[in-house]
Amino acid sequence: MPCCKRREGGDAARGSILYSILKRGAPRRGRQLEAAAARRPRCTCASACKLVTLRAPVLMFTAASQVLAKTFRFLKNVACFRGLPAGDQRLLVRHRWAPLLVVGLVQDSVHFDTVETRRPSLLHTILTRHKRDTSAGAGDPGVPVGVAEGIQAFLVRCRGLGMSADEFALVKGALLFSAELKKLECGDYIQTLHREAQRALYDHVRDKTSRVSRLQALLQALRSVDPEAVSRLFFRPVTGSIDVDEHVLALFDQQ
């Protein structure tokens, strides 16, 4: 049972008449229990229980979409990407749009604020399930506060690197050409592009040893960005149940 639920059960018990009578009869034992409770570690799932949403969801949805559109225009001007089959282009974009968006948010200095939102009650969830399933515009109730804070901290960390325009371009290339993707028509060629992008980034900063290690760590972290978390934070408050990948690919096709 999650620690929050155990704590809620304990709080309810303390408020009962029976608990009060028993506590009155054994004050010393009660003080011992309270002291033991105070020494217990705090609930570690608080960041998972507390939900937040964007303070200005429509504004951020527009900003994130504009960042992606700008990124896709850049990609379509890269000759080696433009020369790939359309299916491979779309597969690469579908797989890498989330970390590319994060890089774009850093490059364009896009900031966001969040506000706490209430988690829907079980009864509310049951009663509104059919409505949510049939309404494309129903927004997401929010993301765990730890997820939002993690994304914000990561953006701050990236800004702290003070990347140049060339470094942004090289990082995007190293992210885009994913060597582990399957079902690519030109898989071997894309694997070669992946190695070349990595080498180009290294050559650009090879005289700065600490810079190389920091950019490599950044790339590794960017590759682990969770697309679902990014979707829920920046897009689902507006798109609701609409597939965010389809929205992203529509933006790509429009450029």
Side-chain angles (χ1 to χ4, degrees):
M1 180 186 293
C3 50
C4 324
K5 292 195 174 177
R6 289 199 302 271
R7 180 176 296 171
E8 288 169 4
D11 290 340
R14 291 188 191 94
S16 69
I17 296 174
L18 178 60
Y19 181 87
S20 300
I21 294 172
L22 293 175
K23 185 174 183 294
R24 194 179 303 131
R28 183 178 177 185
R29 177 60 178 164
R31 286 195 297 272
Q32 290 174 344
L33 288 172
E34 288 173 359
R39 290 194 297 270
R40 275 193 215 114
R42 290 183 176 272
C43 175
T44 56
C45 57
S47 62
C49 296
K50 184 178 176 182
L51 295 179
V52 295
T53 189
L54 292 171
R55 186 180 295 277
V58 176
L59 188 63
M60 272 309 304
F61 170 83
T62 303
S65 297
Q66 289 174 344
V67 166
L68 279 177
K70 180 180 177 181
T71 300
F72 295 154
R73 285 194 296 272
F74 162 76
L75 295 179
K76 288 189 173 183
N77 283 322
V78 177
C80 56
F81 178 78
R82 192 172 61 244
L84 291 173
D88 284 2
Q89 291 183 20
R90 290 170 64 85
L91 192 56
L92 289 171
V93 167
R94 181 186 286 270
H95 186 64
R96 287 303 193 197
W97 70 263
L100 287 171
L101 172 60
V102 171
V103 173
L105 293 174
V106 174
Q107 187 173 14
D108 290 355
S109 300
V110 177
H111 300 265
F112 67 91
D113 293 317
T114 59
V115 292
E116 187 175 353
T117 183
R118 292 185 178 182
R119 185 182 293 274
S121 67
L122 179 60
L123 178 60
H124 179 274
T125 301
I126 293 171
L127 293 176
T128 60
R129 180 177 299 161
H130 175 70
K131 184 178 178 181
R132 289 198 317 274
D133 291 344
T134 57
S135 174
D140 193 280
V143 299
V145 62
V147 170
E149 288 178 348
I151 293 175
Q152 284 179 316
F154 188 68
L155 292 176
V156 170
R157 173 187 167 192
C158 292
R159 292 186 187 109
L161 288 174
M163 294 166 61
S164 66
D166 287 343
E167 286 173 339
F168 274 115
L170 291 168
V171 164
K172 289 175 187 176
L175 279 174
L176 178 68
F177 298 115
S178 180
E180 72 271 14
L181 268 183
K182 298 179 180 179
K183 299 182 180 178
L184 289 166
E185 188 177 338
C186 299
D188 291 340
Y189 177 55
I190 290 171
Q191 197 164 28
T192 300
L193 292 175
H194 171 74
R195 289 194 296 266
E196 289 182 357
Q198 295 270 67
R199 189 181 306 116
L201 180 61
Y202 173 77
D203 288 344
H204 182 71
V205 294
R206 61 183 171 183
D207 296 332
K208 306 170 185 175
T209 307
S210 62
R211 190 73 173 169
V212 171
S213 59
R214 292 180 74 185
L215 287 175
Q216 286 177 338
L218 173 66
L219 272 175
Q220 185 175 357
L222 282 166
R223 290 191 180 106
S224 65
V225 167
D226 181 10
E228 179 63 19
V230 176
S231 297
R232 288 183 63 189
L233 184 61
F234 294 113
F235 294 103
R236 292 243 175 90
V238 174
T239 63
S241 59
I242 294 174
D243 188 352
V244 174
D245 281 353
E246 295 305 316
H247 170 69
V248 169
L249 289 174
L251 283 173
F252 176 74
D253 292 338
Q254 292 166 10
Q255 307 311 311

